Amino acid sequence: MAAVSLPTTVEMPASPRTLQLVKRERLLVGAHLLTALFALMVGVFMGPFQAFHRSPAFIQYFPTIPVFTYYYQAVTAHGVMNALFFTTFFIIGFTYFVTERSLQRPLRFLPAAWVGFASMFIGLTMMLIVLLTEPQRSAVLFTFYPPYIAPATFYLGLVLLVVGSWIASAILFFTYRDWKREHPNERVPLAVFILVINFIVWDIATIGVAVEILFMLLPASLGLIQGVDPQLARTLFWFFGHPLVYFWLLPAYVSWYTMLPKQAGGRLFSEPLARVAFLLFLFFSVPVGVHHQFSDPGISASSKGIHTFLTFMVSLPSFMTAFNVGAALENAGRNNGAKGLFDWIWKQRWSDPVVAAQLFAMLSFIAGGFSGLINASSQLNATIHNTSWVPAHFHMTLGSAVTLTYISVVYWLLPAIRGRALFSKKLAVAQSATWFVGMVVFSASMGSAGLAGAPRRAITATAPYLTQEMAFWLNLTAVGGVILLVSSILLYVNIFGTLFLSRKPAPEGEVPITTRSGDTRSPLWFERWGFWLGIVALLILVGYGPVFAEALDVNGWIIQRYVPYINTPMR
């Protein structure tokens, strides 16, 4: 590898392979990580209490639920804080650390990174204020599309979050460009290759939600327009909403592909195969959002059919991941002494919380991925649409697979930032195990309640339509909520213990990041981004061209279908 010349004014670690962080890394990465954990704390403790609100047995004995009194306030705070603010802060902080360490160079435009952080932090503050001070008007849920319109500060908070993320993506792209100019005949390390794809997907997807907010929701909230087109708004939201899933997932894949093999004691089966998988994610992540609108009447059957096909296509890189990472884990298990056909599963480092959390995450993702195939089928989707099956799937993927992987990163990155050892490894293993068990009970019960007809986002505990079957599964969902509440408490005991009580110095092990160039068997043309973006644009045109034409239904440029501007609280 060619020598990298760094400015003398930039502080870099003496060895990019050690977990000894310099002050600049601690400040920037630490600010993002701690803010992410704060947002998660706000959102995660809302979750179990929603399960209690839906359980008839719990409400019978505890008619007043603590923490909040307005159900939809909690649903909105849970979704927005966990799915938008926690993930975005974490992903950007993780991206900065991985990029600097993998490329062995400082971030380009470091002051801009702090501008982006400030933008997102102000957005988080505005969101918390509006959720706390105007709980009914701001309770528009995570899917904040019409007819419900929130106060303007709700949308401004989201705008600042997206703007900050765009700044972070620009920093990543320019840092990668500078590295590539110095290493034109080398493959970028796999971790950065994945992150570049992740932020390309994010930047494309956020165009949809930016248009929805800036030209529809925010003007309606300010009273500048009297109505919005609900079909167009929903389509713009899901243009963003489903690619958002991959924005969450790909950083977890960074850990699975580039860190876990080393942490588990093995090696990745095939890096070129991994790059093919992530190029497929790039192609098929965006033009799939209409499968969330299979029940919408304004979209043609042909458009829904196209998105069904494209949604099934995006499952291919997940199957490739199962093979590639599974082979890496088998290699690790055999290095750890496995001899039989399947005993490599038990020969993993289950006592290491960093490894255990990711193994539990993968088990969750298997179940969540297969349940997602049900959602992707137009015929089967008609059965489970708007039932509690949908959040059950969502919690097994984001709530378990992605979140547990992020937690595994916290268990090695937070001690490095703090300079102190993790407060308790045993507590961390117990937290990962209880999170997995709680989420399995929670999601399996919620999904079964959905199959029995229980709706999502409803206070079902006292609903007159509740059947005995629904009640049984909803009560069991609350049991899962109790286990998850215990796990959440264990998580934050360990976090606060590491920050304030731990006295042992952080271990001086190697950072689980590859600093060498990518596998030479990977073609250099894998990084011809202009060509790949052309394919992405073509697929978006095929997938969304007819959908937006149907949604607009214009005579000239005048939108024909409007609904009255509604600004009433959800009851």
Side-chain angles (χ1 to χ4, degrees):
M1 179 184 294
V4 179
S5 176
L6 300 177
T8 57
T9 57
V10 177
E11 187 185 16
M12 290 294 290
S15 171
R17 300 183 62 84
T18 69
L19 269 173
Q20 295 177 342
L21 273 64
V22 296
K23 180 179 179 181
R24 177 180 48 79
E25 287 180 303
R26 283 198 172 96
L27 290 175
L28 182 61
V29 179
H32 284 83
L33 183 62
L34 293 178
T35 307
L37 292 172
F38 169 76
L40 177 66
M41 182 175 64
V42 173
V44 76
F45 286 110
M46 295 289 100
F49 295 100
Q50 292 167 56
F52 302 157
H53 243 317
R54 292 170 57 86
S55 165
F58 193 95
I59 289 296
Q60 180 181 353
Y61 296 104
F62 302 97
T64 301
I65 303 294
V67 179
F68 63 89
T69 57
Y70 190 61
Y71 173 76
Y72 292 105
Q73 176 192 22
V75 177
T76 304
H78 179 67
V80 171
M81 287 294 114
N82 286 356
L84 294 177
F85 284 93
F86 160 63
T87 55
T88 305
F89 274 100
F90 178 89
I91 290 167
I92 290 175
F94 182 60
T95 296
Y96 286 157
F97 183 74
V98 172
T99 300
E100 281 200 333
R101 289 303 184 101
S102 296
L103 301 184
Q104 302 178 53
R105 65 181 308 114
L107 295 172
R108 185 71 185 272
F109 309 126
L110 182 61
W114 284 107
V115 173
F117 172 79
S119 175
M120 296 192 300
F121 189 84
I122 294 171
L124 171 64
T125 305
M126 293 176 67
M127 182 63 69
L128 286 173
I129 290 173
V130 73
L131 287 173
L132 290 173
T133 59
E134 300 188 68
Q136 294 186 335
R137 291 186 64 221
S138 64
V140 293
L141 310 179
F142 161 69
T143 51
F144 45 84
Y145 38 63
Y148 297 102
I149 302 296
T153 47
F154 182 98
Y155 303 118
L156 290 173
L158 295 175
V159 167
L160 290 173
L161 177 71
V162 172
V163 169
S165 71
W166 284 348
I167 293 172
S169 69
I171 292 170
L172 169 64
F173 297 151
F174 278 109
T175 305
Y176 163 72
R177 184 201 64 178
D178 291 349
W179 182 91
K180 197 64 182 175
R181 285 176 174 175
E182 296 176 1
H183 307 80
N185 297 317
E186 296 182 32
R187 289 85 179 157
V188 71
L190 178 59
V192 179
F193 182 83
I194 299 170
L195 292 171
V196 167
I197 288 176
N198 194 42
F199 274 90
I200 291 174
V201 170
W202 171 257
D203 287 347
I204 294 172
T206 47
I207 293 172
V209 75
V211 171
E212 181 197 14
I213 291 176
L214 293 177
F215 296 99
M216 301 178 78
L217 300 181
L218 186 57
S221 179
L222 294 171
L224 301 178
I225 60 176
Q226 296 305 309
V228 295
D229 183 338
Q231 181 182 333
L232 178 59
R234 284 170 60 86
T235 303
L236 286 168
F237 178 87
W238 286 117
F239 182 91
F240 155 79
H242 198 82
L244 175 63
V245 172
Y246 304 107
F247 179 65
W248 302 326
L249 179 61
L250 264 60
Y253 276 2
V254 168
S255 186
W256 294 2
Y257 271 95
T258 69
M259 300 179 186
L260 180 59
K262 180 188 298 185
Q263 292 163 336
R267 61 179 179 82
L268 185 64
F269 175 75
S270 173
E271 185 178 304
L273 180 64
R275 293 181 188 247
V276 172
F278 290 106
L279 286 174
L280 291 176
F281 274 121
L282 175 63
F283 299 154
F284 297 110
S285 291
V286 178
V288 295
V290 169
H291 74 249
H292 290 271
Q293 298 176 264
F294 279 156
S295 295
D296 286 15
I299 300 175
S300 66
S302 59
S303 293
K304 293 174 182 176
I306 291 171
H307 280 251
T308 297
F309 172 76
L310 293 173
T311 302
F312 280 114
M313 288 297 295
V314 84
S315 67
L316 292 179
S318 292
F319 284 116
M320 295 166 70
T321 295
F323 174 81
N324 207 347
V325 178
L329 290 174
E330 180 176 357
N331 174 255
R334 300 204 180 283
N335 289 342
N336 293 335
K339 302 295 182 182
L341 187 60
F342 294 112
D343 63 332
W344 59 269
I345 298 172
W346 316 113
K347 291 292 185 179
Q348 302 298 326
R349 298 173 178 174
W350 289 98
S351 61
D352 183 343
V354 173
V355 174
Q358 293 179 85
L359 295 176
F360 286 130
M362 291 177 182
L363 292 172
S364 302
F365 193 68
I366 292 171
F370 279 111
S371 66
L373 295 177
I374 304 298
N375 303 342
S377 167
S378 182
Q379 292 84 355
L380 296 175
N381 184 277
T383 301
I384 52 88
H385 177 74
N386 248 4
T387 71
S388 60
W389 170 281
V390 177
H393 156 72
F394 191 73
H395 281 78
M396 285 302 286
T397 50
L398 172 62
S400 191
V402 170
T403 304
L404 271 178
T405 304
Y406 289 4
I407 289 171
S408 78
V409 173
V410 169
Y411 283 150
W412 62 261
L413 186 54
L414 183 63
I417 291 171
R418 178 64 180 89
R420 294 286 185 268
L422 186 66
F423 180 65
S424 173
K425 285 190 175 183
K426 291 182 178 179
L427 194 67
V429 173
Q431 182 275 318
S432 300
T434 51
W435 190 285
F436 173 72
V437 172
M439 197 63 76
V440 168
V441 174
F442 177 89
S443 296
S445 303
M446 183 173 277
S448 298
L451 293 177
R456 64 187 299 198
R457 294 169 168 171
I459 307 175
T460 53
T462 57
Y465 53 76
L466 206 63
T467 65
Q468 287 186 345
E469 184 180 6
M470 289 184 206
F472 173 80
W473 290 116
L474 290 170
N475 290 334
L476 198 55
T477 300
V479 173
V482 171
I483 300 172
L484 286 168
L485 180 59
V486 171
S487 183
S488 300
I489 293 171
L490 294 179
L491 171 64
Y492 280 93
V493 167
N494 225 345
I495 289 172
F496 284 105
T498 303
L499 290 174
F500 303 112
L501 301 177
S502 178
R503 292 292 179 264
K504 294 180 181 179
E508 297 184 3
E510 285 193 351
V511 63
I513 293 174
T514 300
T515 57
R516 59 178 174 80
S517 298
D519 193 327
T520 55
R521 294 174 296 175
S522 300
L524 281 171
W525 47 264
F526 275 4
E527 296 177 56
R528 292 181 180 174
W529 302 108
F531 179 73
W532 303 134
L533 287 174
I535 295 176
V536 172
L538 179 62
L539 288 171
I540 292 174
L541 181 63
V542 170
Y544 268 105
V547 177
F548 280 119
E550 294 160 358
L552 287 170
D553 188 19
V554 296
N555 179 12
W557 291 103
I558 307 296
I559 297 176
Q560 297 295 315
R561 290 191 299 274
Y562 275 82
V563 295
Y565 169 51
I566 298 175
N567 194 21
T568 55
M570 302 184 71
R571 301 293 183 186

